Amino acid sequence: MGAKLETKEKEKKWEPKILAFLCRWCSYAGADLTGSSRTSYPPNVRILRVPCSGRVNPLFILKTLRSGMDGVLVSGCHPGDCHYTAGNYNARRKFAILARLLEYVGIDPRRVQFSWISASEGDKFAKVVSKVVADVQALGPNELFRLPQGGQTAKGAASAHE
């Protein structure tokens, strides 16, 4: 009985952890504008500034989910505004394919979201982050890569058999 109550309390306290890969030229500046405008957004997002959304390798996203994050946001410049001409177009193609791969391997593609946010769209950044957090919260914790209590990692299991 006590264990069930404890589990329910943990479920109530659960908040998603989301990593946001933000283009340094547009989306990161938009996030900065959100902060300097004192617009609030959920604190569940950890921001990683990248040179361009086109430089985000889909493998980085898979590793992020594997490391225990519950969701990923990738945001870049609007089409036609990329500092590197076509980086955001490359990103859009990569993530269209990644969405199909995620579905194939059993990861809900809604855990990975993509958006265009310019440097002048601080309010949009706050809205996008709020939406991503709400969407991931509705999906629940990322259980695909979690180990059971007392479980071993693949590396630990291999060394135990030696």
Side-chain angles (χ1 to χ4, degrees), residues 17 58-72 98 101-109 111-112 140-149 151-154:
K17 294 181 288 182
L59 194 56
F60 299 162
I61 294 170
L62 294 172
K63 285 184 176 180
T64 299
L65 293 171
R66 185 167 184 227
S67 72
M69 299 300 273
D70 298 302
V72 176
L98 178 65
L101 175 68
L102 292 173
E103 200 169 337
Y104 180 76
V105 298
I107 300 172
D108 194 314
R111 290 193 183 280
V112 179
N142 177 12
E143 299 286 344
L144 192 61
F145 300 108
R146 293 235 166 98
L147 297 173
Q149 292 285 344
Q152 294 179 327
T153 62

PDB file of all heavy atoms in Angstrom, residues 17 58-72 98 101-109 111-112 140-149 151-154:
ATOM      1  N   LYS A  17      12.099  16.303 -18.949  1.00  0.00           N
ATOM      2  CA  LYS A  17      13.381  16.958 -19.189  1.00  0.00           C
ATOM      3  C   LYS A  17      13.549  17.043 -20.700  1.00  0.00           C
ATOM      4  O   LYS A  17      13.487  16.021 -21.388  1.00  0.00           O
ATOM      5  CB  LYS A  17      14.523  16.148 -18.581  1.00  0.00           C
ATOM      6  CG  LYS A  17      14.486  16.084 -17.076  1.00  0.00           C
ATOM      7  CD  LYS A  17      15.645  15.281 -16.531  1.00  0.00           C
ATOM      8  CE  LYS A  17      15.405  13.827 -16.824  1.00  0.00           C
ATOM      9  NZ  LYS A  17      16.444  12.938 -16.314  1.00  0.00           N
ATOM     10  N   PRO A  58      21.134  13.723 -36.492  1.00  0.00           N
ATOM     11  CA  PRO A  58      20.065  12.935 -35.870  1.00  0.00           C
ATOM     12  C   PRO A  58      20.580  11.964 -34.800  1.00  0.00           C
ATOM     13  O   PRO A  58      19.867  11.649 -33.859  1.00  0.00           O
ATOM     14  CB  PRO A  58      19.442  12.186 -37.048  1.00  0.00           C
ATOM     15  CG  PRO A  58      19.700  13.079 -38.210  1.00  0.00           C
ATOM     16  CD  PRO A  58      21.057  13.686 -37.936  1.00  0.00           C
ATOM     17  N   LEU A  59      21.832  11.553 -34.917  1.00  0.00           N
ATOM     18  CA  LEU A  59      22.422  10.683 -33.890  1.00  0.00           C
ATOM     19  C   LEU A  59      22.491  11.402 -32.537  1.00  0.00           C
ATOM     20  O   LEU A  59      22.317  10.779 -31.497  1.00  0.00           O
ATOM     21  CB  LEU A  59      23.817  10.236 -34.325  1.00  0.00           C
ATOM     22  CG  LEU A  59      24.448   9.092 -33.561  1.00  0.00           C
ATOM     23  CD1 LEU A  59      23.561   7.854 -33.582  1.00  0.00           C
ATOM     24  CD2 LEU A  59      25.813   8.766 -34.124  1.00  0.00           C
ATOM     25  N   PHE A  60      22.717  12.722 -32.556  1.00  0.00           N
ATOM     26  CA  PHE A  60      22.727  13.499 -31.311  1.00  0.00           C
ATOM     27  C   PHE A  60      21.361  13.391 -30.613  1.00  0.00           C
ATOM     28  O   PHE A  60      21.279  13.305 -29.386  1.00  0.00           O
ATOM     29  CB  PHE A  60      23.012  14.974 -31.563  1.00  0.00           C
ATOM     30  CG  PHE A  60      24.338  15.290 -32.187  1.00  0.00           C
ATOM     31  CD1 PHE A  60      24.532  16.519 -32.784  1.00  0.00           C
ATOM     32  CD2 PHE A  60      25.382  14.379 -32.187  1.00  0.00           C
ATOM     33  CE1 PHE A  60      25.743  16.842 -33.358  1.00  0.00           C
ATOM     34  CE2 PHE A  60      26.597  14.692 -32.771  1.00  0.00           C
ATOM     35  CZ  PHE A  60      26.781  15.923 -33.353  1.00  0.00           C
ATOM     36  N   ILE A  61      20.320  13.405 -31.399  1.00  0.00           N
ATOM     37  CA  ILE A  61      18.963  13.335 -30.837  1.00  0.00           C
ATOM     38  C   ILE A  61      18.713  11.961 -30.229  1.00  0.00           C
ATOM     39  O   ILE A  61      18.177  11.846 -29.128  1.00  0.00           O
ATOM     40  CB  ILE A  61      17.934  13.682 -31.931  1.00  0.00           C
ATOM     41  CG1 ILE A  61      18.116  15.145 -32.319  1.00  0.00           C
ATOM     42  CG2 ILE A  61      16.507  13.391 -31.459  1.00  0.00           C
ATOM     43  CD1 ILE A  61      17.359  15.570 -33.536  1.00  0.00           C
ATOM     44  N   LEU A  62      19.126  10.917 -30.942  1.00  0.00           N
ATOM     45  CA  LEU A  62      18.955   9.565 -30.412  1.00  0.00           C
ATOM     46  C   LEU A  62      19.756   9.389 -29.122  1.00  0.00           C
ATOM     47  O   LEU A  62      19.273   8.794 -28.156  1.00  0.00           O
ATOM     48  CB  LEU A  62      19.367   8.529 -31.452  1.00  0.00           C
ATOM     49  CG  LEU A  62      18.475   8.478 -32.699  1.00  0.00           C
ATOM     50  CD1 LEU A  62      19.079   7.550 -33.746  1.00  0.00           C
ATOM     51  CD2 LEU A  62      17.073   8.041 -32.341  1.00  0.00           C
ATOM     52  N   LYS A  63      20.983   9.920 -29.093  1.00  0.00           N
ATOM     53  CA  LYS A  63      21.798   9.822 -27.877  1.00  0.00           C
ATOM     54  C   LYS A  63      21.188  10.626 -26.733  1.00  0.00           C
ATOM     55  O   LYS A  63      21.271  10.230 -25.573  1.00  0.00           O
ATOM     56  CB  LYS A  63      23.223  10.295 -28.159  1.00  0.00           C
ATOM     57  CG  LYS A  63      24.028   9.284 -28.941  1.00  0.00           C
ATOM     58  CD  LYS A  63      25.457   9.737 -29.125  1.00  0.00           C
ATOM     59  CE  LYS A  63      26.255   8.648 -29.838  1.00  0.00           C
ATOM     60  NZ  LYS A  63      27.656   9.047 -30.036  1.00  0.00           N
ATOM     61  N   THR A  64      20.569  11.748 -27.060  1.00  0.00           N
ATOM     62  CA  THR A  64      19.905  12.556 -26.037  1.00  0.00           C
ATOM     63  C   THR A  64      18.756  11.781 -25.396  1.00  0.00           C
ATOM     64  O   THR A  64      18.624  11.745 -24.177  1.00  0.00           O
ATOM     65  CB  THR A  64      19.371  13.864 -26.667  1.00  0.00           C
ATOM     66  OG1 THR A  64      20.471  14.598 -27.199  1.00  0.00           O
ATOM     67  CG2 THR A  64      18.634  14.699 -25.648  1.00  0.00           C
ATOM     68  N   LEU A  65      17.951  11.135 -26.224  1.00  0.00           N
ATOM     69  CA  LEU A  65      16.840  10.343 -25.693  1.00  0.00           C
ATOM     70  C   LEU A  65      17.366   9.145 -24.903  1.00  0.00           C
ATOM     71  O   LEU A  65      16.816   8.786 -23.873  1.00  0.00           O
ATOM     72  CB  LEU A  65      15.929   9.884 -26.828  1.00  0.00           C
ATOM     73  CG  LEU A  65      15.159  11.009 -27.536  1.00  0.00           C
ATOM     74  CD1 LEU A  65      14.458  10.471 -28.765  1.00  0.00           C
ATOM     75  CD2 LEU A  65      14.165  11.656 -26.585  1.00  0.00           C
ATOM     76  N   ARG A  66      18.446   8.554 -25.390  1.00  0.00           N
ATOM     77  CA  ARG A  66      19.029   7.394 -24.703  1.00  0.00           C
ATOM     78  C   ARG A  66      19.615   7.790 -23.351  1.00  0.00           C
ATOM     79  O   ARG A  66      19.614   7.012 -22.405  1.00  0.00           O
ATOM     80  CB  ARG A  66      20.108   6.755 -25.564  1.00  0.00           C
ATOM     81  CG  ARG A  66      20.631   5.489 -24.948  1.00  0.00           C
ATOM     82  CD  ARG A  66      21.444   4.684 -25.899  1.00  0.00           C
ATOM     83  NE  ARG A  66      21.818   3.456 -25.229  1.00  0.00           N
ATOM     84  CZ  ARG A  66      23.032   2.977 -25.228  1.00  0.00           C
ATOM     85  NH1 ARG A  66      23.980   3.566 -25.906  1.00  0.00           N
ATOM     86  NH2 ARG A  66      23.296   1.872 -24.588  1.00  0.00           N
ATOM     87  N   SER A  67      20.110   9.021 -23.247  1.00  0.00           N
ATOM     88  CA  SER A  67      20.721   9.466 -21.995  1.00  0.00           C
ATOM     89  C   SER A  67      19.682   9.798 -20.922  1.00  0.00           C
ATOM     90  O   SER A  67      20.060  10.131 -19.806  1.00  0.00           O
ATOM     91  CB  SER A  67      21.623  10.673 -22.244  1.00  0.00           C
ATOM     92  OG  SER A  67      20.840  11.805 -22.525  1.00  0.00           O
ATOM     93  N   GLY A  68      18.403   9.728 -21.266  1.00  0.00           N
ATOM     94  CA  GLY A  68      17.378   9.931 -20.251  1.00  0.00           C
ATOM     95  C   GLY A  68      16.517  11.167 -20.419  1.00  0.00           C
ATOM     96  O   GLY A  68      15.612  11.391 -19.628  1.00  0.00           O
ATOM     97  N   MET A  69      16.808  11.966 -21.422  1.00  0.00           N
ATOM     98  CA  MET A  69      15.940  13.123 -21.643  1.00  0.00           C
ATOM     99  C   MET A  69      14.606  12.620 -22.193  1.00  0.00           C
ATOM    100  O   MET A  69      14.549  11.601 -22.886  1.00  0.00           O
ATOM    101  CB  MET A  69      16.585  14.111 -22.624  1.00  0.00           C
ATOM    102  CG  MET A  69      17.913  14.688 -22.142  1.00  0.00           C
ATOM    103  SD  MET A  69      17.786  15.604 -20.603  1.00  0.00           S
ATOM    104  CE  MET A  69      17.368  17.221 -21.203  1.00  0.00           C
ATOM    105  N   ASP A  70      13.545  13.342 -21.891  1.00  0.00           N
ATOM    106  CA  ASP A  70      12.213  12.908 -22.305  1.00  0.00           C
ATOM    107  C   ASP A  70      11.791  13.473 -23.658  1.00  0.00           C
ATOM    108  O   ASP A  70      10.875  12.953 -24.283  1.00  0.00           O
ATOM    109  CB  ASP A  70      11.193  13.317 -21.243  1.00  0.00           C
ATOM    110  CG  ASP A  70      11.483  12.658 -19.912  1.00  0.00           C
ATOM    111  OD1 ASP A  70      11.519  11.423 -19.863  1.00  0.00           O
ATOM    112  OD2 ASP A  70      11.695  13.386 -18.917  1.00  0.00           O
ATOM    113  N   GLY A  71      12.434  14.543 -24.077  1.00  0.00           N
ATOM    114  CA  GLY A  71      12.076  15.144 -25.350  1.00  0.00           C
ATOM    115  C   GLY A  71      13.200  16.015 -25.885  1.00  0.00           C
ATOM    116  O   GLY A  71      14.135  16.353 -25.158  1.00  0.00           O
ATOM    117  N   VAL A  72      13.093  16.342 -27.170  1.00  0.00           N
ATOM    118  CA  VAL A  72      14.109  17.161 -27.838  1.00  0.00           C
ATOM    119  C   VAL A  72      13.394  18.198 -28.697  1.00  0.00           C
ATOM    120  O   VAL A  72      12.411  17.890 -29.358  1.00  0.00           O
ATOM    121  CB  VAL A  72      15.022  16.290 -28.736  1.00  0.00           C
ATOM    122  CG1 VAL A  72      16.002  17.153 -29.507  1.00  0.00           C
ATOM    123  CG2 VAL A  72      15.757  15.247 -27.916  1.00  0.00           C
ATOM    124  N   LEU A  98      14.190  11.322 -39.759  1.00  0.00           N
ATOM    125  CA  LEU A  98      14.325  10.894 -38.362  1.00  0.00           C
ATOM    126  C   LEU A  98      12.967  10.548 -37.755  1.00  0.00           C
ATOM    127  O   LEU A  98      12.852   9.579 -37.002  1.00  0.00           O
ATOM    128  CB  LEU A  98      15.007  11.979 -37.528  1.00  0.00           C
ATOM    129  CG  LEU A  98      15.148  11.661 -36.039  1.00  0.00           C
ATOM    130  CD1 LEU A  98      16.065  10.465 -35.825  1.00  0.00           C
ATOM    131  CD2 LEU A  98      15.656  12.873 -35.290  1.00  0.00           C
ATOM    132  N   LEU A 101      12.166   7.126 -38.693  1.00  0.00           N
ATOM    133  CA  LEU A 101      13.038   6.179 -37.984  1.00  0.00           C
ATOM    134  C   LEU A 101      12.578   6.011 -36.535  1.00  0.00           C
ATOM    135  O   LEU A 101      12.528   4.881 -36.026  1.00  0.00           O
ATOM    136  CB  LEU A 101      14.494   6.653 -38.013  1.00  0.00           C
ATOM    137  CG  LEU A 101      15.468   5.802 -37.190  1.00  0.00           C
ATOM    138  CD1 LEU A 101      15.632   4.424 -37.827  1.00  0.00           C
ATOM    139  CD2 LEU A 101      16.803   6.492 -37.038  1.00  0.00           C
ATOM    140  N   LEU A 102      12.244   7.111 -35.881  1.00  0.00           N
ATOM    141  CA  LEU A 102      11.784   7.037 -34.482  1.00  0.00           C
ATOM    142  C   LEU A 102      10.547   6.149 -34.371  1.00  0.00           C
ATOM    143  O   LEU A 102      10.450   5.306 -33.483  1.00  0.00           O
ATOM    144  CB  LEU A 102      11.478   8.432 -33.945  1.00  0.00           C
ATOM    145  CG  LEU A 102      12.664   9.363 -33.751  1.00  0.00           C
ATOM    146  CD1 LEU A 102      12.186  10.757 -33.371  1.00  0.00           C
ATOM    147  CD2 LEU A 102      13.615   8.833 -32.698  1.00  0.00           C
ATOM    148  N   GLU A 103       9.628   6.339 -35.291  1.00  0.00           N
ATOM    149  CA  GLU A 103       8.408   5.536 -35.269  1.00  0.00           C
ATOM    150  C   GLU A 103       8.744   4.059 -35.495  1.00  0.00           C
ATOM    151  O   GLU A 103       8.192   3.192 -34.829  1.00  0.00           O
ATOM    152  CB  GLU A 103       7.466   6.045 -36.347  1.00  0.00           C
ATOM    153  CG  GLU A 103       6.037   5.637 -36.125  1.00  0.00           C
ATOM    154  CD  GLU A 103       5.095   6.380 -37.056  1.00  0.00           C
ATOM    155  OE1 GLU A 103       5.436   7.477 -37.541  1.00  0.00           O
ATOM    156  OE2 GLU A 103       4.004   5.845 -37.296  1.00  0.00           O
ATOM    157  N   TYR A 104       9.682   3.791 -36.390  1.00  0.00           N
ATOM    158  CA  TYR A 104      10.066   2.413 -36.703  1.00  0.00           C
ATOM    159  C   TYR A 104      10.688   1.718 -35.483  1.00  0.00           C
ATOM    160  O   TYR A 104      10.421   0.549 -35.234  1.00  0.00           O
ATOM    161  CB  TYR A 104      11.049   2.406 -37.874  1.00  0.00           C
ATOM    162  CG  TYR A 104      11.497   1.033 -38.279  1.00  0.00           C
ATOM    163  CD1 TYR A 104      10.651   0.192 -39.000  1.00  0.00           C
ATOM    164  CD2 TYR A 104      12.769   0.565 -37.944  1.00  0.00           C
ATOM    165  CE1 TYR A 104      11.057  -1.082 -39.364  1.00  0.00           C
ATOM    166  CE2 TYR A 104      13.171  -0.703 -38.309  1.00  0.00           C
ATOM    167  CZ  TYR A 104      12.317  -1.517 -39.019  1.00  0.00           C
ATOM    168  OH  TYR A 104      12.724  -2.777 -39.378  1.00  0.00           O
ATOM    169  N   VAL A 105      11.506   2.440 -34.716  1.00  0.00           N
ATOM    170  CA  VAL A 105      12.175   1.823 -33.562  1.00  0.00           C
ATOM    171  C   VAL A 105      11.345   1.897 -32.279  1.00  0.00           C
ATOM    172  O   VAL A 105      11.796   1.458 -31.230  1.00  0.00           O
ATOM    173  CB  VAL A 105      13.587   2.411 -33.318  1.00  0.00           C
ATOM    174  CG1 VAL A 105      14.483   2.158 -34.505  1.00  0.00           C
ATOM    175  CG2 VAL A 105      13.527   3.877 -32.967  1.00  0.00           C
ATOM    176  N   GLY A 106      10.152   2.459 -32.362  1.00  0.00           N
ATOM    177  CA  GLY A 106       9.255   2.446 -31.217  1.00  0.00           C
ATOM    178  C   GLY A 106       9.304   3.671 -30.331  1.00  0.00           C
ATOM    179  O   GLY A 106       8.801   3.650 -29.210  1.00  0.00           O
ATOM    180  N   ILE A 107       9.883   4.748 -30.803  1.00  0.00           N
ATOM    181  CA  ILE A 107       9.905   6.000 -30.046  1.00  0.00           C
ATOM    182  C   ILE A 107       8.843   6.918 -30.644  1.00  0.00           C
ATOM    183  O   ILE A 107       8.809   7.105 -31.869  1.00  0.00           O
ATOM    184  CB  ILE A 107      11.292   6.677 -30.126  1.00  0.00           C
ATOM    185  CG1 ILE A 107      12.366   5.759 -29.540  1.00  0.00           C
ATOM    186  CG2 ILE A 107      11.286   8.020 -29.419  1.00  0.00           C
ATOM    187  CD1 ILE A 107      13.789   6.252 -29.752  1.00  0.00           C
ATOM    188  N   ASP A 108       7.995   7.442 -29.809  1.00  0.00           N
ATOM    189  CA  ASP A 108       6.952   8.332 -30.309  1.00  0.00           C
ATOM    190  C   ASP A 108       7.600   9.567 -30.943  1.00  0.00           C
ATOM    191  O   ASP A 108       8.348  10.282 -30.267  1.00  0.00           O
ATOM    192  CB  ASP A 108       6.040   8.748 -29.154  1.00  0.00           C
ATOM    193  CG  ASP A 108       4.754   9.383 -29.655  1.00  0.00           C
ATOM    194  OD1 ASP A 108       4.833  10.245 -30.561  1.00  0.00           O
ATOM    195  OD2 ASP A 108       3.687   9.009 -29.141  1.00  0.00           O
ATOM    196  N   PRO A 109       7.342   9.820 -32.227  1.00  0.00           N
ATOM    197  CA  PRO A 109       7.995  10.967 -32.894  1.00  0.00           C
ATOM    198  C   PRO A 109       7.638  12.317 -32.288  1.00  0.00           C
ATOM    199  O   PRO A 109       8.341  13.302 -32.522  1.00  0.00           O
ATOM    200  CB  PRO A 109       7.486  10.883 -34.339  1.00  0.00           C
ATOM    201  CG  PRO A 109       6.807   9.590 -34.476  1.00  0.00           C
ATOM    202  CD  PRO A 109       6.516   9.049 -33.126  1.00  0.00           C
ATOM    203  N   ARG A 111       8.124  13.132 -29.404  1.00  0.00           N
ATOM    204  CA  ARG A 111       9.166  13.485 -28.424  1.00  0.00           C
ATOM    205  C   ARG A 111      10.218  14.402 -29.039  1.00  0.00           C
ATOM    206  O   ARG A 111      10.975  15.041 -28.312  1.00  0.00           O
ATOM    207  CB  ARG A 111       9.843  12.226 -27.895  1.00  0.00           C
ATOM    208  CG  ARG A 111       8.950  11.409 -27.012  1.00  0.00           C
ATOM    209  CD  ARG A 111       9.721  10.363 -26.264  1.00  0.00           C
ATOM    210  NE  ARG A 111       8.841   9.546 -25.471  1.00  0.00           N
ATOM    211  CZ  ARG A 111       8.354   9.914 -24.274  1.00  0.00           C
ATOM    212  NH1 ARG A 111       8.724  11.035 -23.738  1.00  0.00           N
ATOM    213  NH2 ARG A 111       7.519   9.131 -23.635  1.00  0.00           N
ATOM    214  N   VAL A 112      10.283  14.435 -30.357  1.00  0.00           N
ATOM    215  CA  VAL A 112      11.257  15.275 -31.058  1.00  0.00           C
ATOM    216  C   VAL A 112      10.474  16.270 -31.906  1.00  0.00           C
ATOM    217  O   VAL A 112       9.725  15.877 -32.794  1.00  0.00           O
ATOM    218  CB  VAL A 112      12.189  14.423 -31.941  1.00  0.00           C
ATOM    219  CG1 VAL A 112      13.170  15.311 -32.677  1.00  0.00           C
ATOM    220  CG2 VAL A 112      12.924  13.387 -31.110  1.00  0.00           C
ATOM    221  N   GLY A 140       4.280  11.162 -21.199  1.00  0.00           N
ATOM    222  CA  GLY A 140       4.827  10.496 -20.022  1.00  0.00           C
ATOM    223  C   GLY A 140       6.333  10.363 -20.123  1.00  0.00           C
ATOM    224  O   GLY A 140       6.947  10.785 -21.114  1.00  0.00           O
ATOM    225  N   PRO A 141       6.942   9.762 -19.097  1.00  0.00           N
ATOM    226  CA  PRO A 141       8.404   9.639 -19.091  1.00  0.00           C
ATOM    227  C   PRO A 141       8.912   8.769 -20.244  1.00  0.00           C
ATOM    228  O   PRO A 141       8.214   7.873 -20.702  1.00  0.00           O
ATOM    229  CB  PRO A 141       8.700   8.966 -17.750  1.00  0.00           C
ATOM    230  CG  PRO A 141       7.464   9.039 -16.958  1.00  0.00           C
ATOM    231  CD  PRO A 141       6.331   9.243 -17.888  1.00  0.00           C
ATOM    232  N   ASN A 142      10.121   9.044 -20.674  1.00  0.00           N
ATOM    233  CA  ASN A 142      10.779   8.249 -21.711  1.00  0.00           C
ATOM    234  C   ASN A 142      11.267   6.959 -21.056  1.00  0.00           C
ATOM    235  O   ASN A 142      12.306   6.948 -20.418  1.00  0.00           O
ATOM    236  CB  ASN A 142      11.939   9.055 -22.299  1.00  0.00           C
ATOM    237  CG  ASN A 142      12.731   8.284 -23.326  1.00  0.00           C
ATOM    238  OD1 ASN A 142      12.320   7.228 -23.784  1.00  0.00           O
ATOM    239  ND2 ASN A 142      13.884   8.826 -23.681  1.00  0.00           N
ATOM    240  N   GLU A 143      10.510   5.905 -21.196  1.00  0.00           N
ATOM    241  CA  GLU A 143      10.820   4.638 -20.527  1.00  0.00           C
ATOM    242  C   GLU A 143      11.620   3.693 -21.415  1.00  0.00           C
ATOM    243  O   GLU A 143      12.057   2.646 -20.962  1.00  0.00           O
ATOM    244  CB  GLU A 143       9.524   3.936 -20.099  1.00  0.00           C
ATOM    245  CG  GLU A 143       8.674   4.720 -19.133  1.00  0.00           C
ATOM    246  CD  GLU A 143       9.252   4.744 -17.732  1.00  0.00           C
ATOM    247  OE1 GLU A 143      10.135   3.920 -17.424  1.00  0.00           O
ATOM    248  OE2 GLU A 143       8.825   5.596 -16.938  1.00  0.00           O
ATOM    249  N   LEU A 144      11.807   4.036 -22.662  1.00  0.00           N
ATOM    250  CA  LEU A 144      12.431   3.105 -23.597  1.00  0.00           C
ATOM    251  C   LEU A 144      13.842   2.695 -23.189  1.00  0.00           C
ATOM    252  O   LEU A 144      14.237   1.557 -23.346  1.00  0.00           O
ATOM    253  CB  LEU A 144      12.447   3.709 -24.994  1.00  0.00           C
ATOM    254  CG  LEU A 144      12.807   2.740 -26.117  1.00  0.00           C
ATOM    255  CD1 LEU A 144      11.797   1.603 -26.173  1.00  0.00           C
ATOM    256  CD2 LEU A 144      12.869   3.451 -27.436  1.00  0.00           C
ATOM    257  N   PHE A 145      14.599   3.629 -22.652  1.00  0.00           N
ATOM    258  CA  PHE A 145      15.987   3.335 -22.322  1.00  0.00           C
ATOM    259  C   PHE A 145      16.242   3.242 -20.823  1.00  0.00           C
ATOM    260  O   PHE A 145      17.383   3.179 -20.399  1.00  0.00           O
ATOM    261  CB  PHE A 145      16.904   4.399 -22.928  1.00  0.00           C
ATOM    262  CG  PHE A 145      16.790   4.468 -24.409  1.00  0.00           C
ATOM    263  CD1 PHE A 145      16.162   5.532 -25.022  1.00  0.00           C
ATOM    264  CD2 PHE A 145      17.291   3.455 -25.198  1.00  0.00           C
ATOM    265  CE1 PHE A 145      16.056   5.596 -26.395  1.00  0.00           C
ATOM    266  CE2 PHE A 145      17.189   3.506 -26.577  1.00  0.00           C
ATOM    267  CZ  PHE A 145      16.566   4.583 -27.173  1.00  0.00           C
ATOM    268  N   ARG A 146      15.189   3.280 -20.018  1.00  0.00           N
ATOM    269  CA  ARG A 146      15.373   3.202 -18.563  1.00  0.00           C
ATOM    270  C   ARG A 146      15.616   1.764 -18.154  1.00  0.00           C
ATOM    271  O   ARG A 146      15.002   0.833 -18.667  1.00  0.00           O
ATOM    272  CB  ARG A 146      14.139   3.732 -17.839  1.00  0.00           C
ATOM    273  CG  ARG A 146      13.964   5.210 -18.053  1.00  0.00           C
ATOM    274  CD  ARG A 146      13.866   5.938 -16.743  1.00  0.00           C
ATOM    275  NE  ARG A 146      14.040   7.359 -16.973  1.00  0.00           N
ATOM    276  CZ  ARG A 146      13.044   8.211 -17.085  1.00  0.00           C
ATOM    277  NH1 ARG A 146      11.812   7.808 -16.972  1.00  0.00           N
ATOM    278  NH2 ARG A 146      13.276   9.491 -17.302  1.00  0.00           N
ATOM    279  N   LEU A 147      16.499   1.592 -17.199  1.00  0.00           N
ATOM    280  CA  LEU A 147      16.788   0.268 -16.672  1.00  0.00           C
ATOM    281  C   LEU A 147      15.848  -0.033 -15.520  1.00  0.00           C
ATOM    282  O   LEU A 147      15.460   0.869 -14.786  1.00  0.00           O
ATOM    283  CB  LEU A 147      18.231   0.204 -16.177  1.00  0.00           C
ATOM    284  CG  LEU A 147      19.301   0.398 -17.245  1.00  0.00           C
ATOM    285  CD1 LEU A 147      20.665   0.479 -16.594  1.00  0.00           C
ATOM    286  CD2 LEU A 147      19.262  -0.734 -18.239  1.00  0.00           C
ATOM    287  N   PRO A 148      15.492  -1.296 -15.320  1.00  0.00           N
ATOM    288  CA  PRO A 148      14.681  -1.630 -14.152  1.00  0.00           C
ATOM    289  C   PRO A 148      15.488  -1.403 -12.880  1.00  0.00           C
ATOM    290  O   PRO A 148      16.717  -1.322 -12.913  1.00  0.00           O
ATOM    291  CB  PRO A 148      14.361  -3.112 -14.354  1.00  0.00           C
ATOM    292  CG  PRO A 148      15.363  -3.616 -15.322  1.00  0.00           C
ATOM    293  CD  PRO A 148      15.821  -2.439 -16.122  1.00  0.00           C
ATOM    294  N   GLN A 149      14.789  -1.304 -11.738  1.00  0.00           N
ATOM    295  CA  GLN A 149      15.470  -1.104 -10.462  1.00  0.00           C
ATOM    296  C   GLN A 149      16.515  -2.201 -10.273  1.00  0.00           C
ATOM    297  O   GLN A 149      16.221  -3.375 -10.417  1.00  0.00           O
ATOM    298  CB  GLN A 149      14.466  -1.164  -9.308  1.00  0.00           C
ATOM    299  CG  GLN A 149      13.508  -0.010  -9.280  1.00  0.00           C
ATOM    300  CD  GLN A 149      14.161   1.257  -8.771  1.00  0.00           C
ATOM    301  OE1 GLN A 149      15.228   1.213  -8.173  1.00  0.00           O
ATOM    302  NE2 GLN A 149      13.541   2.391  -9.025  1.00  0.00           N
ATOM    303  N   GLY A 151      18.891  -2.890 -12.188  1.00  0.00           N
ATOM    304  CA  GLY A 151      19.320  -3.424 -13.478  1.00  0.00           C
ATOM    305  C   GLY A 151      20.745  -3.026 -13.797  1.00  0.00           C
ATOM    306  O   GLY A 151      21.356  -2.195 -13.135  1.00  0.00           O
ATOM    307  N   GLN A 152      21.286  -3.672 -14.801  1.00  0.00           N
ATOM    308  CA  GLN A 152      22.646  -3.399 -15.219  1.00  0.00           C
ATOM    309  C   GLN A 152      22.625  -2.787 -16.609  1.00  0.00           C
ATOM    310  O   GLN A 152      21.722  -3.041 -17.398  1.00  0.00           O
ATOM    311  CB  GLN A 152      23.457  -4.692 -15.290  1.00  0.00           C
ATOM    312  CG  GLN A 152      23.674  -5.359 -13.980  1.00  0.00           C
ATOM    313  CD  GLN A 152      24.474  -6.640 -14.174  1.00  0.00           C
ATOM    314  OE1 GLN A 152      24.352  -7.314 -15.179  1.00  0.00           O
ATOM    315  NE2 GLN A 152      25.297  -6.940 -13.197  1.00  0.00           N
ATOM    316  N   THR A 153      23.621  -2.024 -16.894  1.00  0.00           N
ATOM    317  CA  THR A 153      23.781  -1.552 -18.252  1.00  0.00           C
ATOM    318  C   THR A 153      24.325  -2.696 -19.083  1.00  0.00           C
ATOM    319  O   THR A 153      24.768  -3.713 -18.549  1.00  0.00           O
ATOM    320  CB  THR A 153      24.771  -0.379 -18.309  1.00  0.00           C
ATOM    321  OG1 THR A 153      26.041  -0.847 -17.862  1.00  0.00           O
ATOM    322  CG2 THR A 153      24.312   0.785 -17.458  1.00  0.00           C
ATOM    323  N   ALA A 154      24.286  -2.562 -20.393  1.00  0.00           N
ATOM    324  CA  ALA A 154      24.804  -3.607 -21.268  1.00  0.00           C
ATOM    325  C   ALA A 154      26.289  -3.848 -20.989  1.00  0.00           C
ATOM    326  O   ALA A 154      26.759  -4.976 -20.986  1.00  0.00           O
ATOM    327  CB  ALA A 154      24.592  -3.223 -22.727  1.00  0.00           C
TER     328      ALA A 154
END
